[in-house]
Amino acid sequence: MLHFENDYNKGAHPALLEALVSTNDLGLSGYGTDEYSHRASEKIRQATMCPQAEITFLTGGTQTNQVVIDALLASYEGVIAADTGHIAVHEAGAIEFSGHKVLTVPHQNGKVQASAVRHLLESFYADANQEHMVLPGMVYISHPTEYGTLYSKEELTDLATVCKDYQIPLFLDGARLGYGLAARSTDLDLPTIAELTDVFSIGGTKMGALMGEAVVFTKMNQPKRFTTIVKQHGALLAKGRLTGVQFDRFFTDDLYVQLGTHAIEMAEQLIVLLEEKNYRFYLKSPTNQQFLLVTNEEMGRLDKAGICYGFWEKYDDTDTIIRLATSWSTTQEDINALAQVL
């Protein structure tokens, strides 16, 4: 089997496993109060050039989104997101389960446009029935988006401006942030993201960790009793060392950057290969996710050939959109084997 279905089909990067094994016999305090979690937090502050950043480690992407959004919103508020946004489509209603409506706007290649957010907010405050409606309380974006696309510095600045005008927080979901930072065409880096957002996450699960996401509040705006809120969601890990040790290693010797760069290099080879084989791209992204438009017959042939891909959505009666993804774990041998099978 050739695994290109997602970027988390392998266990963990050897360097992270080694870090976990080498610290396994140490007696450490729990709930993220251990020295490795503190050290990882300080390294993230340095990498983001945000000395006031408040950092909490959680275990998964959906959990992170639900905890952050629920902590920042009042009971009567909802969150603005693209209609393709992860919280609106592939998180099983986790945000609504916590009592908050996801207020969607049309996407542009997976991205939320500042003009669409401003229009939604203007329409809400111009509505005489607003007291009977869900109040838009924050903006959620993902970078890279669900289609592997990236926000530019200008686009993120425009979104931040709208949020500032209406005094609502901007939350960037960075589940695949490492791949976005490594993309050759990006003009966003960690310090810029920290400057323009109110809170963002640094993904570990899809970047080579066994599990783990870092939540970074950038404006001394971490909600009061945030640890208690995390525990209310069942998200407080007693063995917080598991995330702390891994993120400490991620941000040592630029490992996080190296893993992202490797995945992008593999994705560039994947694009060339698919073009040579005359596959139709639904969306060619600058990151590690590539989207193809294939016939149902082609899907059957891929299945028989043992190529694992991600089903994305039906395009019409005869065609389907599928995703092929590279990752930190994709090898040159994987690419060569795929070329031979195709």
Side-chain angles (χ1 to χ4, degrees), residues 4 179 184 258-274 287-290 324-336 338:
F4 289 88
Y179 303 132
R184 298 185 193 277
Q258 292 171 21
L259 297 180
T261 299
H262 171 77
I264 297 302
E265 291 172 350
M266 294 294 100
E268 290 169 345
Q269 290 191 43
L270 177 63
I271 290 171
V272 172
L273 170 60
L274 293 170
T287 57
N288 68 313
Q289 303 178 81
Q290 304 304 323
L324 296 181
T326 60
S327 76
W328 60 274
S329 65
T330 304
T331 65
Q332 187 64 57
E333 288 73 23
D334 292 332
I335 297 294
N336 294 344
L338 180 63

Side-chain angles (χ1 to χ4, degrees), residues 124 126-134:
F124 174 82
D127 196 316
N129 292 311
Q130 64 177 257
E131 290 186 353
H132 304 278
M133 300 161 64
V134 174

Side-chain angles (χ1 to χ4, degrees), residues 281-301:
F281 281 83
Y282 176 74
L283 194 151
K284 191 185 300 182
S285 92
T287 57
N288 68 313
Q289 303 178 81
Q290 304 304 323
F291 297 86
L292 302 178
L293 191 59
V294 300
T295 65
N296 296 335
E297 289 76 17
E298 286 172 328
M299 283 180 63
R301 288 197 291 273

Side-chain angles (χ1 to χ4, degrees), residues 42-241:
E42 185 54 39
K43 289 179 179 178
I44 290 172
R45 292 186 189 100
Q46 293 173 7
T48 58
M49 296 184 185
C50 187
Q52 74 277 13
E54 299 166 287
I55 297 148
T56 299
F57 298 104
L58 300 175
T59 58
T62 298
Q63 179 194 78
T64 295
N65 291 337
Q66 189 196 58
V67 169
V68 170
I69 290 170
D70 191 36
L72 286 174
L73 293 181
S75 61
Y76 49 83
E77 291 179 318
V79 52
I80 302 170
D83 52 10
T84 53
H86 212 257
I87 62 171
V89 182
H90 287 151
E91 290 191 348
I95 307 306
E96 288 87 350
F97 187 76
S98 66
H100 305 285
K101 187 175 183 178
V102 178
L103 306 166
T104 59
V105 295
H107 76 101
Q108 295 291 327
N109 287 332
K111 294 188 282 188
V112 174
Q113 301 296 303
S115 57
V117 175
R118 189 176 291 278
H119 176 70
L120 185 151
L121 288 162
E122 287 176 346
S123 298
F124 174 82
Y125 284 107
D127 196 316
N129 292 311
Q130 64 177 257
E131 290 186 353
H132 304 278
M133 300 161 64
V134 174
L135 191 150
M138 66 184 294
V139 173
Y140 163 95
I141 62 173
S142 49
H143 179 85
T145 70
E146 289 69 25
Y147 282 100
T149 52
L150 297 172
Y151 287 88
S152 67
K153 182 177 180 180
E154 181 180 4
E155 289 171 325
L156 192 60
T157 300
D158 290 344
L159 279 168
T161 298
V162 175
C163 290
K164 192 172 297 182
D165 289 345
Y166 284 87
Q167 297 185 314
I168 59 175
L170 174 60
F171 171 34
L172 184 148
D173 173 354
R176 291 186 169 91
L177 186 56
Y179 303 132
L181 295 172
R184 298 185 193 277
S185 60
T186 188
D187 60 354
L188 281 180
D189 55 18
L190 277 175
T192 305
I193 290 170
E195 176 190 349
L196 293 175
T197 66
D198 297 284
V199 56
F200 70 98
S201 62
I202 302 174
T205 305
K206 296 177 173 68
M207 290 295 302
L210 276 176
M211 46 75 181
E213 317 289 308
V215 177
V216 185
F217 286 93
T218 62
K219 306 291 190 292
M220 297 295 291
N221 57 332
Q222 181 175 279
K224 183 180 179 181
R225 297 283 185 179
F226 187 63
T227 299
T228 307
I229 294 171
V230 170
K231 186 146 193 172
Q232 283 184 328
H233 283 265
L236 187 61
L237 190 62
K239 293 184 179 179
R241 62 192 294 159

Side-chain angles (χ1 to χ4, degrees), residues 30-49:
Y31 305 107
T33 63
D34 61 278
E35 61 185 86
Y36 290 92
S37 297
H38 288 311
R39 197 163 71 184
S41 295
E42 185 54 39
K43 289 179 179 178
I44 290 172
R45 292 186 189 100
Q46 293 173 7
T48 58
M49 296 184 185

